[in-house]
Amino acid sequence: MLLQKLKLCSKISPQRFQFLTKHLTQEFSNRVHGSSFAHRGKLRKAKRIVVKLGSAVVTRDDECGLALGRLASIVEQVAMLQNQGREMMIVTSGAVAFGKQRLRHEILLSQSVRQALHSGNGQHKEMFVPALEARACAAAGQSGLMALYEAMFTQYSTCTAQVLVTNLDFHDDEKRQNLNSTLQELLHMNIVPIINTNDAVVPPPEPNSDLQGVISIKDNDSLAARLAVEMKADLLIALSDVEGLFNSPPGTDDAKLLDIFYPGDQQSITYGTKSRVGIGGMEAKVKAALWALQGGTSVVIANGTNPKVTGQVITDIVEGKKVGTFFSEVKPAGPSVEEQTEMARNSGRILASLHPHQRSKIICHLAELLTEKKDEILAANKMDMEMAVSAGRLPPAMLKRLSLSSAKLSSLAVGLRQIATAAQDSVGRVVRRTRVAPGLELEQVTVPIGVLLVIFEARPDCLPQVSALAVASGNALLLKGGKEAANTNRVLHQLTQEALSLHGVREAVQMVNTHEEVEDLCRLDKTIDLIIPRGSSQLVRDIQRAAKGIPVLGHSEGICHVYVDADANVDKVIKIVRDSKCDYPAACNSMETLLIHREILRTPMFDKIIEILRNEQVKIHSGPRFASYLTFSPSEASSLRTEYSDLECCLEVVDGLQEAVEHIHKYGSSHTDVIVTENKETAERFLQQLDSACVFWNASSRFADGYRFGLGAEVGISTARIHARGPVGLEGLLTTKWILRGDGHTVADFSESGSMKYLHENIPVEQNLTGQQLAFMLASFLCPVSKALIDVL
């Protein structure tokens, strides 16, 4: 309609009208196509995908023949995506390499036959293979390459079609429209087009002829970009023999892989040499990628030759995982997560070098801010609660975790002051001192772990707790909170950075607000030293699977047991069972299995246990042995390893202490287990024989908590067998280093012919507190007025 009005109302020449028609049609086409995806996570929505296979991906390292293993893996991934309903296209190299292999074979075979016919003395001359012309190789290899693709895709019930193109197919309008029509028809028929330049007839590429207005196809990078824009593809995946785009040539010192590349960043890149067989090089790939990006197609350049990633590189990219270099037109306002991690590490090193009383002061100031800014915090939390309730996606247990109150903030402040006290004796504490030899002394001292990544769900109170522990231990901290607590987390993080600013270490605690997936964060093994998940057992398990190169501190499940012994006191049993199960059913330290001594069955104590559980509306699942004692029993537990995280529990019967211990060892998760008994000998055997992280006698399982243990707070509960175990507070965030002080000592001095002998004498370790440190320790327990007086001292 716009064009018709333009023709009727404007006095323009037919030539001008034709030009505007073509221009506006192209602009309209681009608008219909839409813009590229702004973030990796959006790549899951890609419907039409072009996969470009570079020469280095398709050919073997000897440049003669095809890399069949890599091709088979690529075909499997493309077929999988095609069968998901996506429209897949392949731009492939390889015809020249495949043809070279065939022609070399034919020449050698022909020479061998001639020599056999004409050599009378049986001596064979060394066979010589002449240089093979590329166009001839392409002519010989194209049919074989296509036959190979066809055979491979047939294994997945996927049909393919070969399309050979030249520059004219894009520069001539009629040919371009014909090509577009052909490819559209193939895609509508669920056929995978396999496109290549017709290398048998193309002229040599003209230097610097690409990307001049309309891109040429002098190499497969520019072909793939031109095709992706022409076909309005959502995503172009360019596979080569490098991991992606680096800020300097790969292999050089300080070369850094760029996770995201933005238009305008070209000046910051130093390009290296081309690949061993490709004709484009990385500079051509970047130009082609940016051209496609401008046309509305997202681009990822990644490695298609690494055997560790080849098996899933294409599907990983489509799933939004951090693979290769993602080209994006949308540059975020803040730093990338890699930059945040580096900022945290640098600031964290300064934090670790602060005096203990300085770190303590930061934590105390944060505790004060929680009280002073209470109204602001609660207002932000109210917004999160209202949004969560209206969305209706959070279960009641998670809503309870999300909610903050004045009492909760006051309790947080008390816990932070406890941490501030502990910070006086943390980093730099001597745990061992040894005189190795005269004049040679060794110390083992506590030091921070480095950079911590804490991932937590709907529990904003976790943020100040973990931040305080990180400050006390001198660790840098990266926080990834759940979006359901975004407003509360934002305010609490601002207060944390305000407290850190007291001593110029504001950047030591960073909040990840970008669109980073948790799996991508778990791959930052070069910058993150420890991951601590705070949330559901599913979250912990997912992180443990994703973090292949970074230690994870946590527990995948909290299957806690309470064993009621034959000598138990009924009143204690009722109190402990009720509290362990009903105080906070969603907590990881909540009772999930109740073990009953056989002698208690059909007694008033057993009746009272059942009554209290029913009154609290706890659903009981019977274990197999308990079910065998009953004519009509509750529903049998589907598994004795279930973490219900709700008002449900399993009830099972055991013959005595030893069977209870064996049951817990078999079905428990080494989290927290309880015995209720008045028999001290039985209790001590239970405490000694069980190897769980927390083992209690006549106390609720809910005591398994850092604050309740006097740690001030915890970063989580660990069931690991090494490093920290149980509720992890300040001590669990420290490691050690060895400091040796000598005076020209050498190992040769201690050889058989040397003049020195090892002493290895332990030297008593004395921890001396300064007056200022003592003042701060007292201050954390006193009211603000008394604290002000001590500050004056």
Side-chain angles (χ1 to χ4, degrees):
M1 182 65 71
L2 174 63
L3 291 172
Q4 293 301 322
K5 289 182 179 179
L6 185 67
K7 186 175 183 180
L8 292 172
C9 302
S10 302
K11 297 179 180 180
I12 57 174
S13 65
Q15 293 82 6
R16 180 63 176 165
F17 175 78
Q18 186 177 5
F19 169 81
L20 288 174
T21 300
K22 183 176 180 180
H23 176 72
L24 289 174
T25 302
Q26 182 64 39
E27 287 298 308
F28 176 77
S29 175
N30 287 339
R31 284 197 294 273
V32 172
H33 182 197
S35 58
S36 60
F37 296 121
H39 310 287
R40 280 186 183 269
K42 301 293 185 181
L43 295 180
R44 296 188 184 95
K45 297 182 179 180
K47 171 71 173 175
R48 182 171 289 182
I49 302 171
V50 175
V51 178
K52 179 262 175 180
L53 306 179
S55 301
V57 176
V58 176
T59 62
R60 298 194 319 227
D61 291 342
D62 61 6
E63 303 177 23
C64 186
L66 303 180
L68 297 180
R70 288 200 291 263
L71 275 181
S73 176
I74 289 167
V75 165
E76 181 180 19
Q77 294 173 78
V78 172
M80 182 193 311
L81 294 171
Q82 179 83 0
N83 292 333
Q84 290 176 359
R86 305 179 198 267
E87 297 175 338
M88 305 298 296
M89 292 179 280
I90 293 178
V91 175
T92 182
S93 303
V96 174
F98 196 26
K100 184 186 293 186
Q101 181 187 36
R102 294 182 63 184
L103 292 180
R104 281 170 59 92
H105 178 75
E106 291 298 325
I107 291 171
L108 292 173
L109 180 61
S110 175
Q111 289 182 358
S112 178
V113 170
R114 286 198 300 271
Q115 287 185 11
L117 292 174
H118 298 291
S119 59
N121 54 9
Q123 295 181 351
H124 297 276
K125 297 180 180 179
E126 184 177 349
M127 289 182 285
F128 171 74
V129 179
L132 299 174
E133 205 274 329
R135 283 191 288 259
C137 291
Q142 281 169 352
S143 60
L145 178 64
M146 190 58 207
L148 179 62
Y149 274 120
E150 191 170 313
M152 287 182 170
F153 273 105
T154 299
Q155 303 300 314
Y156 301 95
S157 302
T158 302
C159 187
T160 59
Q162 182 181 33
V163 179
L164 297 176
V165 297
T166 65
N167 253 321
L168 286 176
D169 296 313
F170 290 99
H171 289 280
D172 182 279
D173 284 344
E174 184 177 355
K175 289 179 178 291
R176 183 175 59 81
Q177 291 172 7
N178 290 340
L179 173 62
N180 188 304
S181 177
T182 299
L183 292 174
Q184 293 284 6
E185 185 66 20
L186 292 173
L187 293 174
H188 291 161
M189 294 173 64
N190 201 33
I191 295 172
V192 177
I194 298 178
I195 303 109
N196 195 3
T197 52
N198 193 349
D199 293 323
V201 299
V202 295
E206 298 178 17
N208 302 319
S209 65
D210 60 327
L211 302 162
Q212 301 300 317
V214 177
I215 194 170
S216 75
I217 56 167
K218 75 170 191 174
D219 57 68
N220 273 350
D221 295 309
S222 53
L223 167 60
R226 184 68 175 92
L227 184 77
V229 174
E230 177 69 29
M231 296 301 296
K232 298 180 175 60
D234 302 305
L235 172 62
L236 166 60
I237 299 175
L239 298 182
S240 183
D241 58 351
V242 292
E243 309 302 322
L245 180 59
F246 289 77
N247 58 353
S248 58
T252 59
D253 291 340
D254 301 325
K256 181 181 178 182
L257 177 65
L258 301 178
D259 168 50
I260 305 179
F261 187 77
Y262 305 99
D265 286 354
Q266 296 96 311
Q267 302 302 320
S268 63
I269 303 300
T270 303
Y271 296 103
T273 58
K274 298 177 181 179
S275 70
R276 57 180 174 82
V277 288
I279 63 172
M282 183 54 73
E283 188 171 6
K285 289 177 176 58
V286 172
K287 286 182 179 179
L290 291 174
W291 194 90
L293 189 67
Q294 188 178 15
T297 297
S298 295
V299 183
V300 175
I301 296 178
N303 192 331
T305 63
N306 187 341
K308 292 183 179 179
V309 299
T310 303
Q312 63 271 352
V313 60
I314 298 173
T315 51
D316 278 355
I317 290 170
V318 175
E319 289 173 8
K321 294 182 180 179
K322 191 171 286 188
V323 179
T325 300
F326 172 64
F327 286 71
S328 174
E329 289 188 300
V330 180
K331 196 165 188 174
S336 68
V337 67
E338 289 84 2
E339 291 169 335
Q340 283 187 289
T341 308
E342 193 63 31
M343 291 160 59
R345 182 182 291 279
N346 293 336
S347 197
R349 286 171 176 156
I350 301 173
L351 174 68
S353 68
L354 294 178
H355 241 269
H357 75 270
Q358 292 176 308
R359 290 196 299 275
S360 179
K361 189 173 181 180
I362 291 172
I363 300 168
C364 286
H365 186 44
L366 177 57
E368 293 166 5
L369 288 172
L370 292 180
T371 304
E372 293 174 8
K373 304 290 185 178
K374 176 182 64 177
D375 293 341
E376 185 180 346
I377 297 169
L378 294 179
N381 187 246
K382 183 181 179 182
M383 291 173 58
D384 288 329
M385 288 294 295
E386 290 173 350
M387 292 173 64
V389 171
S390 62
R393 289 194 295 267
L394 290 184
M398 289 195 74
L399 282 174
K400 186 176 180 181
R401 289 176 181 170
L402 177 61
S403 175
L404 290 181
S405 64
S406 296
K408 215 169 189 179
L409 290 175
S410 298
S411 178
L412 273 173
V414 172
L416 262 57
R417 290 192 173 94
Q418 290 180 350
I419 297 171
T421 302
Q424 300 294 326
D425 186 28
S426 56
V427 181
R429 175 170 52 88
V430 179
V431 296
R432 181 193 301 268
R433 182 175 287 141
T434 305
R435 183 175 290 108
V436 178
L440 189 64
E441 292 191 359
L442 179 68
E443 286 182 347
Q444 185 183 15
V445 299
T446 56
V447 293
I449 290 173
V451 178
L452 311 177
L453 167 61
V454 177
I455 302 170
F456 56 102
E457 294 178 313
R459 44 180 76 195
D461 55 330
C462 172
L463 195 154
Q465 290 177 331
V466 173
S467 298
L469 287 169
V471 172
S473 57
N475 285 291
L477 179 61
L478 207 62
L479 293 160
K480 174 67 172 176
K483 60 184 178 181
E484 60 280 341
N487 293 299
T488 315
N489 287 339
R490 185 183 66 256
V491 173
L492 290 173
H493 179 243
Q494 289 171 352
L495 299 180
T496 301
Q497 290 202 315
E498 182 179 337
L500 288 164
S501 298
L502 281 176
H503 291 289
V505 287
R506 178 185 179 87
E507 308 300 335
V509 176
Q510 297 281 330
M511 173 70 75
V512 179
N513 292 316
T514 60
H515 292 257
E516 298 292 332
E517 298 290 336
V518 169
E519 285 191 4
D520 294 329
L521 293 172
C522 291
R523 291 192 177 97
L524 298 176
D525 57 305
K526 293 182 180 178
T527 51
I528 293 174
D529 300 293
L530 180 67
I531 301 176
I532 304 171
R534 293 289 306 272
S536 66
S537 58
Q538 186 61 50
L539 170 71
V540 179
R541 282 195 297 268
D542 290 344
I543 291 173
Q544 287 173 332
R545 279 193 296 265
K548 299 191 183 338
I550 310 174
V552 177
L553 191 152
H555 62 280
S556 58
E557 291 174 312
I559 305 176
C560 304
H561 296 74
V562 173
Y563 166 53
V564 180
D565 186 54
D567 297 324
N569 176 280
V570 62
D571 293 332
K572 293 179 184 178
V573 169
I574 298 305
K575 286 179 64 180
I576 290 170
V577 169
R578 178 196 279 122
D579 193 73
S580 296
K581 179 71 262 184
C582 308
D583 176 67
Y584 192 176
C588 62
N589 55 17
S590 171
M591 179 192 78
E592 304 295 7
T593 298
L594 176 62
L595 298 178
I596 301 289
H597 193 289
R598 179 171 50 83
E599 293 179 7
I600 295 177
L601 286 176
R602 300 185 178 88
T603 66
M605 180 187 292
F606 179 77
D607 294 339
K608 288 187 176 181
I609 293 172
I610 298 300
E611 182 182 4
I612 188 61
L613 292 176
R614 286 177 176 169
N615 288 342
E616 295 289 344
Q617 299 182 331
V618 177
K619 183 177 181 181
I620 299 174
H621 302 275
S622 61
R625 189 166 181 190
F626 177 51
S628 69
Y629 284 98
L630 304 174
T631 304
F632 299 101
S633 67
S635 62
E636 191 165 340
S638 58
S639 170
L640 296 177
R641 291 191 178 92
T642 301
E643 182 180 22
Y644 296 100
S645 299
D646 204 345
L647 286 173
E648 299 181 61
C649 73
C650 174
L651 196 156
E652 183 58 308
V653 176
V654 292
D655 283 340
L657 172 69
Q658 197 57 42
E659 192 171 313
V661 170
E662 291 173 359
H663 178 102
I664 295 172
H665 281 160
K666 183 174 183 179
Y667 299 109
S669 61
S670 300
H671 191 292
T672 301
D673 298 293
V674 176
I675 183 172
V676 186
T677 184
E678 296 303 301
N679 189 316
K680 182 177 180 181
E681 181 182 349
T682 301
E684 290 299 333
R685 285 169 56 200
F686 183 88
L687 298 177
Q688 295 300 319
Q689 291 182 24
L690 267 185
D691 60 0
S692 299
C694 299
V695 190
F696 300 164
W697 172 23
N698 285 350
S700 167
S701 62
R702 292 279 289 119
F703 278 105
D705 175 83
Y707 175 75
R708 294 170 187 137
F709 279 9
L711 305 178
E714 65 179 42
V715 294
I717 293 182
S718 171
T719 56
R721 302 284 171 176
I722 58 174
H723 190 55
R725 201 155 188 248
V728 180
L730 176 57
E731 290 292 326
L733 300 181
L734 295 170
T735 184
T736 62
K737 72 177 178 181
W738 298 87
I739 299 174
L740 186 65
R741 295 182 175 91
D743 187 21
H745 293 78
T746 65
V747 172
D749 295 335
F750 297 87
S751 65
E752 291 185 6
S753 59
S755 59
M756 303 192 73
K757 301 294 182 183
Y758 289 109
L759 295 177
H760 293 140
E761 294 176 350
N762 289 331
I763 304 173
V765 175
E766 297 179 2
Q767 300 295 338
N768 296 319
L769 295 177
T770 66
Q772 192 176 26
Q773 288 175 323
L774 286 169
F776 267 87
M777 289 178 65
L778 290 170
S780 65
F781 293 106
L782 298 176
C783 66
V785 175
S786 300
K787 183 176 166 218
L789 293 175
I790 291 177
D791 285 340
V792 173
L793 298 176

